[in-house]
Amino acid sequence: MRTLNGVSLALAALMLAPCGIAGAADAAPSAWWVHIGTYSGGDGGGIHLLRLDVEAGTLSYVSLAVEARNAGFLALHPSKPLAYAVGEEGGTGTVAAYNLDPATGLMTEINRQSSVGNGPCHVFVTPSGGHVLAANYGSGSVVAFPVQPDGSLGKASGFSQHSGSSVNPKRQEGPHAHSIYTDAAGRFAFSPDLGIDKIMIYQLDAASGKLLPHEPAFAETAPGAGPRHFAFHPNGRFGYVVNELDNTVTAFAYDANTGRLDTIHSVGTLPEDFKGENTTAEIRVHPSGKFVYASNRGHDSLAIFTVEQDTGKLTPAGHAPTLGKTPRNFNVDPSGKFVVAANQASGTVNLFRVDQETGALTPAEQSVKVPVPVCVVFSPAP
């Protein structure tokens, strides 16, 4: 089953179907709401709503979906019209729950909870929809919340404080948990920590919502790599982490029975002749499993890799300029036909067509102005 951020196409279509009518799940939507998380500025900030028409190949601005302060990362529930976002209110980290109206794409806040840390930067909903996980970059910790029947978040059920440091004195003086995910079964949780060059591994107890110690407790990257975001291959056998500080992607073989990640190799995200400053940001695997993309901030491009299906190895296949500055986030639409790239510094969101044979990206000549865009997620649109 093809997935995007843990949301299957079938379940996504069910979100659109009235009362979850059977049969609607078999038809992929021809249009998607594109929710854009932003950092707050003079405009007050919020989650903005765009619409992607897959058949026409157009991306258009709709409206502000909901006001929110520093809604820097979003995630959707796998089977219900619900969304979750990290944020900061007066320096305090929060995670908020929202109702999402499938007919309009607009959102209404249900409640919010403390992220039990500062600088929350990533949120993830487990495949069962039973828990929401978040990572606190500033305090280097991860947290889990139960999802209540109405979609609201209960108080934190699980928490883990990372510890340690690494070789970069400016960026790795202590732990900086940058994201957290589970595997497809929801058994194990994985948190890339930029500050300690580790992907921390936990057992997720579905009944209690606790993040339990696991053995192995982590997978390591190269010293100074700075692991940031992670993505599983659709076949569940491979995983990929983008390393912010040394501009690489590391491929792992994944054992779903033991929760173990074993390094395959690492590849660079930049052209060999590039001499400027750069940090990487986001990583995505195409729904077909044939391609991996990673964003470069500085080179302002998406690095393209082809995937060797038997081994998980990556082969560089070029770069696509994102037509803006600082592509902090991007996403592949669930049909696999388009990539939407959010350029944080230029305040633009751009659309690209995906070549289904090579993975190459071609500008669709669709650019939308959004202030400080930093996250892209999709939900079905009528």
Side-chain angles (χ1 to χ4, degrees):
M1 182 179 290
R2 293 192 298 167
T3 63
L4 182 70
N5 286 350
V7 180
S8 73
L9 290 181
L11 290 175
L14 272 176
M15 288 170 58
L16 183 61
C19 304
I21 295 173
D26 295 330
S30 60
W32 300 95
W33 297 124
V34 185
H35 290 85
I36 306 293
T38 70
Y39 284 148
S40 300
D43 65 334
I47 299 171
H48 291 255
L49 181 65
L50 283 59
R51 190 174 191 273
L52 170 61
D53 188 312
V54 175
E55 295 182 357
T58 57
L59 182 69
S60 56
Y61 187 85
V62 178
S63 68
L64 185 69
V66 68
E67 292 185 359
R69 294 290 299 175
N70 293 316
F73 209 92
L74 319 175
L76 300 182
H77 193 280
S79 59
K80 298 178 181 180
L82 300 166
Y84 300 89
V86 295
E88 288 190 77
E89 297 288 338
T92 301
T94 63
V95 181
Y98 297 91
N99 281 314
L100 193 162
D101 185 343
T104 65
L106 300 181
M107 301 165 66
T108 305
E109 184 173 326
I110 305 171
N111 79 326
R112 63 179 58 226
Q113 296 283 4
S114 167
S115 69
V116 200
N118 60 65
C121 59
H122 187 261
V123 63
F124 180 89
V125 187
T126 60
S128 70
H131 293 89
V132 168
L133 312 180
N136 294 301
Y137 179 87
S139 52
S141 59
V142 292
V143 61
F145 305 90
V147 175
Q148 307 297 339
D150 65 351
S152 64
L153 293 173
K155 291 189 179 297
S157 57
F159 177 83
S160 180
Q161 176 64 55
H162 297 179
S163 62
S165 60
S166 195
V167 299
N168 185 323
K170 293 182 178 180
R171 298 293 309 278
Q172 296 181 310
E173 80 298 340
H176 294 298
H178 218 310
S179 55
I180 186 168
Y181 314 78
T182 72
D183 60 0
R187 291 181 59 200
F188 302 104
F190 304 85
S191 177
D193 192 306
L194 178 146
I196 59 178
D197 287 323
K198 294 176 180 177
I199 302 173
M200 302 302 296
I201 305 174
Y202 300 95
Q203 296 178 44
L204 176 62
D205 187 290
S208 68
K210 294 186 180 298
L211 295 165
L212 304 175
H214 183 59
E215 182 59 41
F218 54 82
E220 291 187 279
T221 61
R228 178 184 172 99
H229 282 191
F230 185 86
F232 276 107
H233 191 279
N235 67 17
R237 295 169 46 214
F238 311 117
Y240 302 94
V241 68
V242 65
N243 299 304
E244 177 176 336
L245 302 182
D246 74 354
N247 301 305
T248 62
V249 171
T250 301
F252 295 91
Y254 178 58
D255 186 329
N257 292 320
T258 64
R260 182 183 180 90
L261 293 169
D262 290 303
T263 303
I264 299 172
H265 71 156
S266 293
V267 290
T269 66
L270 293 167
E272 291 184 1
D273 59 355
F274 180 75
K275 304 300 181 184
E277 295 293 324
N278 189 81
T279 56
T280 63
E282 185 58 271
I283 187 164
R284 305 286 187 184
V285 182
H286 190 270
S288 69
K290 294 168 60 176
F291 318 114
V292 167
Y293 301 96
S295 60
N296 288 306
R297 297 174 294 178
H299 189 249
D300 293 334
S301 67
L302 298 186
I304 305 166
F305 304 92
T306 58
V307 180
E308 190 174 302
Q309 298 300 301
D310 292 337
T311 67
K313 289 184 177 180
L314 301 178
T315 300
H319 299 81
T322 58
L323 308 181
K325 294 183 179 180
T326 318
R328 183 184 181 93
N329 196 260
F330 69 96
N331 213 336
V332 186
D333 92 280
S335 76
K337 296 180 180 179
F338 294 95
V339 164
V340 175
N343 294 296
Q344 177 182 353
S346 56
T348 54
V349 179
N350 290 75
L351 184 68
F352 300 85
R353 295 181 183 274
V354 179
D355 186 306
Q356 302 300 307
E357 297 301 319
T358 67
L361 303 177
T362 303
E365 299 182 358
Q366 300 283 313
S367 182
V368 178
K369 286 285 188 180
V370 176
V372 202
V374 291
C375 189
V376 180
V377 297
F378 300 94
S379 65

mmCIF file of all heavy atoms in Angstrom, residues 72-113:
data_model
loop_
_atom_site.group_PDB
_atom_site.id
_atom_site.type_symbol
_atom_site.label_atom_id
_atom_site.label_comp_id
_atom_site.label_asym_id
_atom_site.label_seq_id
_atom_site.Cartn_x
_atom_site.Cartn_y
_atom_site.Cartn_z
ATOM 1 N N GLY A 72 5.325 25.251 12.782
ATOM 2 C CA GLY A 72 6.456 24.915 11.930
ATOM 3 C C GLY A 72 6.445 23.526 11.340
ATOM 4 O O GLY A 72 7.179 23.254 10.398
ATOM 5 N N PHE A 73 5.630 22.614 11.890
ATOM 6 C CA PHE A 73 5.542 21.286 11.276
ATOM 7 C C PHE A 73 4.159 20.715 11.557
ATOM 8 O O PHE A 73 3.618 20.873 12.655
ATOM 9 C CB PHE A 73 6.624 20.336 11.797
ATOM 10 C CG PHE A 73 7.016 19.307 10.775
ATOM 11 C CD1 PHE A 73 8.074 19.539 9.905
ATOM 12 C CD2 PHE A 73 6.300 18.127 10.635
ATOM 13 C CE1 PHE A 73 8.421 18.608 8.937
ATOM 14 C CE2 PHE A 73 6.628 17.192 9.678
ATOM 15 C CZ PHE A 73 7.703 17.436 8.816
ATOM 16 N N LEU A 74 3.598 20.038 10.541
ATOM 17 C CA LEU A 74 2.240 19.504 10.594
ATOM 18 C C LEU A 74 2.258 18.015 10.298
ATOM 19 O O LEU A 74 3.152 17.507 9.628
ATOM 20 C CB LEU A 74 1.334 20.181 9.551
ATOM 21 C CG LEU A 74 1.460 21.683 9.322
ATOM 22 C CD1 LEU A 74 0.563 22.107 8.177
ATOM 23 C CD2 LEU A 74 1.130 22.445 10.587
ATOM 24 N N ALA A 75 1.217 17.316 10.766
ATOM 25 C CA ALA A 75 1.016 15.911 10.420
ATOM 26 C C ALA A 75 -0.473 15.626 10.442
ATOM 27 O O ALA A 75 -1.225 16.207 11.235
ATOM 28 C CB ALA A 75 1.741 14.993 11.415
ATOM 29 N N LEU A 76 -0.915 14.714 9.568
ATOM 30 C CA LEU A 76 -2.321 14.345 9.472
ATOM 31 C C LEU A 76 -2.590 13.008 10.128
ATOM 32 O O LEU A 76 -1.736 12.120 10.137
ATOM 33 C CB LEU A 76 -2.749 14.266 8.005
ATOM 34 C CG LEU A 76 -2.611 15.531 7.165
ATOM 35 C CD1 LEU A 76 -3.135 15.281 5.769
ATOM 36 C CD2 LEU A 76 -3.324 16.704 7.809
ATOM 37 N N HIS A 77 -3.804 12.874 10.665
ATOM 38 C CA HIS A 77 -4.252 11.583 11.179
ATOM 39 C C HIS A 77 -4.433 10.626 10.007
ATOM 40 O O HIS A 77 -4.859 11.036 8.923
ATOM 41 C CB HIS A 77 -5.574 11.770 11.925
ATOM 42 C CG HIS A 77 -5.984 10.594 12.746
ATOM 43 N ND1 HIS A 77 -6.586 9.479 12.183
ATOM 44 C CD2 HIS A 77 -5.892 10.342 14.080
ATOM 45 C CE1 HIS A 77 -6.847 8.604 13.137
ATOM 46 N NE2 HIS A 77 -6.437 9.089 14.295
ATOM 47 N N PRO A 78 -4.105 9.333 10.157
ATOM 48 C CA PRO A 78 -4.168 8.408 9.021
ATOM 49 C C PRO A 78 -5.573 8.056 8.553
ATOM 50 O O PRO A 78 -5.736 7.577 7.431
ATOM 51 C CB PRO A 78 -3.436 7.165 9.535
ATOM 52 C CG PRO A 78 -3.592 7.231 11.012
ATOM 53 C CD PRO A 78 -3.543 8.690 11.352
ATOM 54 N N SER A 79 -6.608 8.262 9.375
ATOM 55 C CA SER A 79 -7.945 7.827 8.953
ATOM 56 C C SER A 79 -9.062 8.790 9.294
ATOM 57 O O SER A 79 -10.200 8.572 8.908
ATOM 58 C CB SER A 79 -8.266 6.459 9.588
ATOM 59 O OG SER A 79 -8.220 6.545 11.001
ATOM 60 N N LYS A 80 -8.759 9.867 10.032
ATOM 61 C CA LYS A 80 -9.781 10.827 10.417
ATOM 62 C C LYS A 80 -9.384 12.228 9.961
ATOM 63 O O LYS A 80 -8.200 12.518 9.777
ATOM 64 C CB LYS A 80 -9.975 10.823 11.935
ATOM 65 C CG LYS A 80 -10.445 9.491 12.504
ATOM 66 C CD LYS A 80 -10.561 9.557 14.021
ATOM 67 C CE LYS A 80 -11.010 8.236 14.608
ATOM 68 N NZ LYS A 80 -11.117 8.290 16.099
ATOM 69 N N PRO A 81 -10.359 13.118 9.759
ATOM 70 C CA PRO A 81 -10.041 14.487 9.335
ATOM 71 C C PRO A 81 -9.499 15.321 10.493
ATOM 72 O O PRO A 81 -10.160 16.208 11.020
ATOM 73 C CB PRO A 81 -11.385 15.015 8.815
ATOM 74 C CG PRO A 81 -12.401 14.257 9.604
ATOM 75 C CD PRO A 81 -11.818 12.887 9.819
ATOM 76 N N LEU A 82 -8.281 15.014 10.882
ATOM 77 C CA LEU A 82 -7.612 15.666 11.996
ATOM 78 C C LEU A 82 -6.192 16.025 11.596
ATOM 79 O O LEU A 82 -5.568 15.323 10.795
ATOM 80 C CB LEU A 82 -7.560 14.745 13.225
ATOM 81 C CG LEU A 82 -8.886 14.273 13.811
ATOM 82 C CD1 LEU A 82 -8.652 13.115 14.778
ATOM 83 C CD2 LEU A 82 -9.595 15.431 14.519
ATOM 84 N N ALA A 83 -5.689 17.104 12.157
ATOM 85 C CA ALA A 83 -4.311 17.512 11.913
ATOM 86 C C ALA A 83 -3.680 17.924 13.237
ATOM 87 O O ALA A 83 -4.378 18.322 14.185
ATOM 88 C CB ALA A 83 -4.254 18.665 10.923
ATOM 89 N N TYR A 84 -2.352 17.847 13.282
ATOM 90 C CA TYR A 84 -1.604 18.188 14.489
ATOM 91 C C TYR A 84 -0.407 19.041 14.089
ATOM 92 O O TYR A 84 0.187 18.820 13.031
ATOM 93 C CB TYR A 84 -1.163 16.921 15.220
ATOM 94 C CG TYR A 84 -2.356 16.078 15.633
ATOM 95 C CD1 TYR A 84 -2.883 15.119 14.771
ATOM 96 C CD2 TYR A 84 -2.994 16.294 16.854
ATOM 97 C CE1 TYR A 84 -4.010 14.379 15.113
ATOM 98 C CE2 TYR A 84 -4.119 15.557 17.206
ATOM 99 C CZ TYR A 84 -4.621 14.610 16.338
ATOM 100 O OH TYR A 84 -5.742 13.895 16.672
ATOM 101 N N ALA A 85 -0.065 20.013 14.931
ATOM 102 C CA ALA A 85 1.028 20.922 14.599
ATOM 103 C C ALA A 85 1.800 21.300 15.847
ATOM 104 O O ALA A 85 1.213 21.479 16.928
ATOM 105 C CB ALA A 85 0.490 22.186 13.932
ATOM 106 N N VAL A 86 3.117 21.411 15.710
ATOM 107 C CA VAL A 86 3.928 21.957 16.787
ATOM 108 C C VAL A 86 3.856 23.474 16.726
ATOM 109 O O VAL A 86 3.530 24.064 15.692
ATOM 110 C CB VAL A 86 5.392 21.481 16.696
ATOM 111 C CG1 VAL A 86 5.495 19.984 16.902
ATOM 112 C CG2 VAL A 86 6.022 21.889 15.363
ATOM 113 N N GLY A 87 4.159 24.115 17.833
ATOM 114 C CA GLY A 87 4.157 25.564 17.874
ATOM 115 C C GLY A 87 4.831 26.059 19.133
ATOM 116 O O GLY A 87 5.255 25.269 19.988
ATOM 117 N N GLU A 88 4.957 27.372 19.226
ATOM 118 C CA GLU A 88 5.515 27.980 20.424
ATOM 119 C C GLU A 88 4.651 29.162 20.822
ATOM 120 O O GLU A 88 4.276 29.991 19.996
ATOM 121 C CB GLU A 88 6.956 28.427 20.190
ATOM 122 C CG GLU A 88 7.943 27.276 20.088
ATOM 123 C CD GLU A 88 9.385 27.751 20.112
ATOM 124 O OE1 GLU A 88 9.884 28.080 21.207
ATOM 125 O OE2 GLU A 88 9.987 27.796 19.052
ATOM 126 N N GLU A 89 4.297 29.218 22.083
ATOM 127 C CA GLU A 89 3.500 30.300 22.640
ATOM 128 C C GLU A 89 4.276 30.926 23.789
ATOM 129 O O GLU A 89 4.437 30.305 24.843
ATOM 130 C CB GLU A 89 2.148 29.767 23.139
ATOM 131 C CG GLU A 89 1.260 29.181 22.045
ATOM 132 C CD GLU A 89 0.684 30.244 21.143
ATOM 133 O OE1 GLU A 89 0.615 31.404 21.576
ATOM 134 O OE2 GLU A 89 0.319 29.905 19.998
ATOM 135 N N GLY A 90 4.803 32.138 23.571
ATOM 136 C CA GLY A 90 5.545 32.813 24.631
ATOM 137 C C GLY A 90 6.773 32.060 25.078
ATOM 138 O O GLY A 90 7.135 32.085 26.262
ATOM 139 N N GLY A 91 7.420 31.347 24.150
ATOM 140 C CA GLY A 91 8.620 30.599 24.474
ATOM 141 C C GLY A 91 8.361 29.195 24.966
ATOM 142 O O GLY A 91 9.295 28.432 25.198
ATOM 143 N N THR A 92 7.081 28.832 25.140
ATOM 144 C CA THR A 92 6.727 27.489 25.595
ATOM 145 C C THR A 92 6.338 26.618 24.422
ATOM 146 O O THR A 92 5.510 26.997 23.593
ATOM 147 C CB THR A 92 5.550 27.558 26.590
ATOM 148 O OG1 THR A 92 5.921 28.371 27.706
ATOM 149 C CG2 THR A 92 5.175 26.171 27.082
ATOM 150 N N GLY A 93 6.914 25.416 24.330
ATOM 151 C CA GLY A 93 6.601 24.512 23.240
ATOM 152 C C GLY A 93 5.229 23.885 23.416
ATOM 153 O O GLY A 93 4.836 23.506 24.526
ATOM 154 N N THR A 94 4.497 23.757 22.307
ATOM 155 C CA THR A 94 3.171 23.151 22.351
ATOM 156 C C THR A 94 2.976 22.214 21.167
ATOM 157 O O THR A 94 3.681 22.300 20.162
ATOM 158 C CB THR A 94 2.056 24.214 22.313
ATOM 159 O OG1 THR A 94 2.122 24.935 21.065
ATOM 160 C CG2 THR A 94 2.168 25.188 23.472
ATOM 161 N N VAL A 95 1.998 21.333 21.296
ATOM 162 C CA VAL A 95 1.497 20.532 20.187
ATOM 163 C C VAL A 95 -0.015 20.710 20.175
ATOM 164 O O VAL A 95 -0.678 20.518 21.201
ATOM 165 C CB VAL A 95 1.858 19.046 20.336
ATOM 166 C CG1 VAL A 95 1.346 18.251 19.140
ATOM 167 C CG2 VAL A 95 3.371 18.870 20.464
ATOM 168 N N ALA A 96 -0.565 21.099 19.034
ATOM 169 C CA ALA A 96 -1.988 21.417 18.924
ATOM 170 C C ALA A 96 -2.703 20.397 18.052
ATOM 171 O O ALA A 96 -2.132 19.862 17.097
ATOM 172 C CB ALA A 96 -2.178 22.812 18.343
ATOM 173 N N ALA A 97 -3.972 20.147 18.389
ATOM 174 C CA ALA A 97 -4.847 19.278 17.606
ATOM 175 C C ALA A 97 -5.884 20.141 16.898
ATOM 176 O O ALA A 97 -6.401 21.113 17.467
ATOM 177 C CB ALA A 97 -5.540 18.266 18.516
ATOM 178 N N TYR A 98 -6.212 19.761 15.640
ATOM 179 C CA TYR A 98 -7.169 20.520 14.838
ATOM 180 C C TYR A 98 -8.161 19.591 14.157
ATOM 181 O O TYR A 98 -7.784 18.506 13.679
ATOM 182 C CB TYR A 98 -6.454 21.316 13.733
ATOM 183 C CG TYR A 98 -5.494 22.365 14.222
ATOM 184 C CD1 TYR A 98 -4.148 22.044 14.419
ATOM 185 C CD2 TYR A 98 -5.910 23.660 14.476
ATOM 186 C CE1 TYR A 98 -3.252 23.010 14.871
ATOM 187 C CE2 TYR A 98 -5.018 24.631 14.918
ATOM 188 C CZ TYR A 98 -3.690 24.296 15.114
ATOM 189 O OH TYR A 98 -2.803 25.245 15.548
ATOM 190 N N ASN A 99 -9.409 20.012 14.084
ATOM 191 C CA ASN A 99 -10.347 19.416 13.141
ATOM 192 C C ASN A 99 -10.052 19.979 11.772
ATOM 193 O O ASN A 99 -9.777 21.179 11.626
ATOM 194 C CB ASN A 99 -11.791 19.735 13.537
ATOM 195 C CG ASN A 99 -12.295 18.851 14.656
ATOM 196 O OD1 ASN A 99 -12.107 17.642 14.623
ATOM 197 N ND2 ASN A 99 -12.935 19.453 15.646
ATOM 198 N N LEU A 100 -10.117 19.143 10.754
ATOM 199 C CA LEU A 100 -9.870 19.553 9.377
ATOM 200 C C LEU A 100 -11.132 19.259 8.563
ATOM 201 O O LEU A 100 -11.551 18.100 8.472
ATOM 202 C CB LEU A 100 -8.660 18.798 8.813
ATOM 203 C CG LEU A 100 -8.050 19.284 7.501
ATOM 204 C CD1 LEU A 100 -6.640 18.707 7.343
ATOM 205 C CD2 LEU A 100 -8.885 18.862 6.298
ATOM 206 N N ASP A 101 -11.730 20.290 7.995
ATOM 207 C CA ASP A 101 -12.943 20.128 7.196
ATOM 208 C C ASP A 101 -12.552 19.668 5.792
ATOM 209 O O ASP A 101 -11.974 20.445 5.028
ATOM 210 C CB ASP A 101 -13.696 21.450 7.119
ATOM 211 C CG ASP A 101 -15.031 21.343 6.396
ATOM 212 O OD1 ASP A 101 -15.247 20.342 5.668
ATOM 213 O OD2 ASP A 101 -15.858 22.249 6.550
ATOM 214 N N PRO A 102 -12.866 18.420 5.410
ATOM 215 C CA PRO A 102 -12.459 17.935 4.095
ATOM 216 C C PRO A 102 -13.072 18.722 2.938
ATOM 217 O O PRO A 102 -12.487 18.789 1.863
ATOM 218 C CB PRO A 102 -12.952 16.473 4.075
ATOM 219 C CG PRO A 102 -13.086 16.095 5.514
ATOM 220 C CD PRO A 102 -13.524 17.351 6.200
ATOM 221 N N ALA A 103 -14.242 19.323 3.157
ATOM 222 C CA ALA A 103 -14.918 20.049 2.081
ATOM 223 C C ALA A 103 -14.264 21.383 1.785
ATOM 224 O O ALA A 103 -14.248 21.840 0.635
ATOM 225 C CB ALA A 103 -16.392 20.259 2.441
ATOM 226 N N THR A 104 -13.711 22.030 2.813
ATOM 227 C CA THR A 104 -13.157 23.369 2.635
ATOM 228 C C THR A 104 -11.652 23.448 2.877
ATOM 229 O O THR A 104 -11.014 24.422 2.485
ATOM 230 C CB THR A 104 -13.824 24.358 3.605
ATOM 231 O OG1 THR A 104 -13.484 23.989 4.962
ATOM 232 C CG2 THR A 104 -15.354 24.330 3.434
ATOM 233 N N GLY A 105 -11.077 22.442 3.553
ATOM 234 C CA GLY A 105 -9.670 22.474 3.914
ATOM 235 C C GLY A 105 -9.372 23.339 5.123
ATOM 236 O O GLY A 105 -8.220 23.413 5.563
ATOM 237 N N LEU A 106 -10.397 23.987 5.690
ATOM 238 C CA LEU A 106 -10.178 24.864 6.837
ATOM 239 C C LEU A 106 -10.024 24.045 8.119
ATOM 240 O O LEU A 106 -10.496 22.911 8.207
ATOM 241 C CB LEU A 106 -11.329 25.852 6.972
ATOM 242 C CG LEU A 106 -11.548 26.772 5.766
ATOM 243 C CD1 LEU A 106 -12.701 27.726 6.028
ATOM 244 C CD2 LEU A 106 -10.273 27.544 5.426
ATOM 245 N N MET A 107 -9.385 24.634 9.107
ATOM 246 C CA MET A 107 -9.040 23.927 10.337
ATOM 247 C C MET A 107 -9.569 24.687 11.548
ATOM 248 O O MET A 107 -9.635 25.917 11.538
ATOM 249 C CB MET A 107 -7.523 23.756 10.431
ATOM 250 C CG MET A 107 -6.917 22.993 9.254
ATOM 251 S SD MET A 107 -5.113 23.169 9.127
ATOM 252 C CE MET A 107 -4.589 22.334 10.626
ATOM 253 N N THR A 108 -9.930 23.949 12.581
ATOM 254 C CA THR A 108 -10.393 24.532 13.839
ATOM 255 C C THR A 108 -9.646 23.869 14.982
ATOM 256 O O THR A 108 -9.625 22.631 15.078
ATOM 257 C CB THR A 108 -11.906 24.312 14.031
ATOM 258 O OG1 THR A 108 -12.609 24.821 12.894
ATOM 259 C CG2 THR A 108 -12.384 25.023 15.289
ATOM 260 N N GLU A 109 -9.046 24.676 15.842
ATOM 261 C CA GLU A 109 -8.283 24.090 16.946
ATOM 262 C C GLU A 109 -9.196 23.375 17.932
ATOM 263 O O GLU A 109 -10.256 23.891 18.309
ATOM 264 C CB GLU A 109 -7.471 25.162 17.661
ATOM 265 C CG GLU A 109 -6.584 24.589 18.770
ATOM 266 C CD GLU A 109 -5.655 25.603 19.385
ATOM 267 O OE1 GLU A 109 -5.182 26.515 18.668
ATOM 268 O OE2 GLU A 109 -5.392 25.491 20.602
ATOM 269 N N ILE A 110 -8.770 22.188 18.362
ATOM 270 C CA ILE A 110 -9.479 21.427 19.388
ATOM 271 C C ILE A 110 -8.858 21.702 20.744
ATOM 272 O O ILE A 110 -9.524 22.123 21.681
ATOM 273 C CB ILE A 110 -9.427 19.908 19.093
ATOM 274 C CG1 ILE A 110 -9.959 19.603 17.687
ATOM 275 C CG2 ILE A 110 -10.231 19.147 20.135
ATOM 276 C CD1 ILE A 110 -9.724 18.161 17.266
ATOM 277 N N ASN A 111 -7.557 21.445 20.867
ATOM 278 C CA ASN A 111 -6.844 21.741 22.111
ATOM 279 C C ASN A 111 -5.360 21.702 21.837
ATOM 280 O O ASN A 111 -4.925 21.389 20.716
ATOM 281 C CB ASN A 111 -7.232 20.762 23.230
ATOM 282 C CG ASN A 111 -6.533 19.419 23.111
ATOM 283 O OD1 ASN A 111 -6.280 18.930 22.002
ATOM 284 N ND2 ASN A 111 -6.238 18.786 24.237
ATOM 285 N N ARG A 112 -4.587 22.005 22.838
ATOM 286 C CA ARG A 112 -3.133 21.888 22.722
ATOM 287 C C ARG A 112 -2.551 21.473 24.063
ATOM 288 O O ARG A 112 -3.129 21.725 25.114
ATOM 289 C CB ARG A 112 -2.498 23.171 22.187
ATOM 290 C CG ARG A 112 -2.649 24.398 23.032
ATOM 291 C CD ARG A 112 -1.944 25.592 22.371
ATOM 292 N NE ARG A 112 -2.443 25.870 21.039
ATOM 293 C CZ ARG A 112 -1.652 26.107 19.987
ATOM 294 N NH1 ARG A 112 -0.325 26.098 20.131
ATOM 295 N NH2 ARG A 112 -2.166 26.360 18.802
ATOM 296 N N GLN A 113 -1.393 20.836 23.972
ATOM 297 C CA GLN A 113 -0.686 20.380 25.154
ATOM 298 C C GLN A 113 0.748 20.889 25.118
ATOM 299 O O GLN A 113 1.294 21.186 24.046
ATOM 300 C CB GLN A 113 -0.673 18.847 25.224
ATOM 301 C CG GLN A 113 -2.019 18.188 25.382
ATOM 302 C CD GLN A 113 -2.561 18.281 26.804
ATOM 303 O OE1 GLN A 113 -1.960 18.902 27.680
ATOM 304 N NE2 GLN A 113 -3.704 17.655 27.040
#
